[in-house]
Amino acid sequence: MIFVLYIVIVVVINAALLGLGLGIGAILHWLIPAIDLGIGTLTGMISLLVSFYLLSKINSLVVESERDEVLNSVDSLGRTTYVIDQLPPLPRRKRKPRAPKA
C-alpha cells in the first residue's frame, strides 16, 4: 500500500513539474516566437529543477543552523561529557603443553 502511495506522489509531482515546464515553455514561445515550444518546455523544466534544488539547499542550511542553536543551548547548560576508553582485554589462558603421542 505504501509503495502505491509513493508511486502516486511521484507521478503527481512529475505531472506538476511537467505542467509548469510546459507553461513556462508556452510563455517563452509566446514572448519569443523563434523559440520552439519543445525547447521552451525543456528550458522551463531545467529552470524549475535548478530553482527547486537551490531552494532545498537553502532550506537545509536553515535547518542546520536551527540544529546548531539547539546544540549550543544544550552545551550552555554546564553539563560535561567524559569519554572513557574501553577496558583492556582480559588476558588469555595459557595452553598446557600437549603430552607427546606414543
Side-chain angles (χ1 to χ4, degrees):
M1 181 65 184
I2 293 175
F3 180 72
V4 173
L5 181 64
Y6 174 75
I7 295 297
V8 168
I9 290 172
V10 167
V11 167
V12 167
I13 289 172
N14 283 335
L17 284 174
L18 187 61
L20 287 172
L22 187 62
I24 291 173
I27 290 172
L28 279 174
H29 178 68
W30 179 65
L31 290 174
I32 307 169
I35 295 178
D36 186 36
L37 186 60
I39 296 299
T41 303
L42 181 64
T43 305
M45 288 295 296
I46 291 172
S47 65
L48 281 172
L49 292 175
V50 168
S51 65
F52 285 146
Y53 174 75
L54 292 175
L55 286 174
S56 67
K57 283 293 190 183
I58 291 172
N59 191 21
S60 68
L61 290 176
V62 170
V63 170
E64 288 177 5
S65 67
E66 289 176 359
R67 185 192 65 199
D68 291 342
E69 289 175 6
V70 169
L71 289 176
N72 289 338
S73 67
V74 169
D75 290 340
S76 66
L77 295 176
R79 296 180 182 162
T80 305
T81 303
Y82 295 100
V83 179
I84 300 173
D85 291 335
Q86 294 181 351
L87 294 174
L90 295 174
R92 294 185 177 195
R93 290 181 47 186
K94 294 183 180 178
R95 291 187 176 184
K96 294 182 182 179
R98 289 187 182 191
K101 290 187 180 180

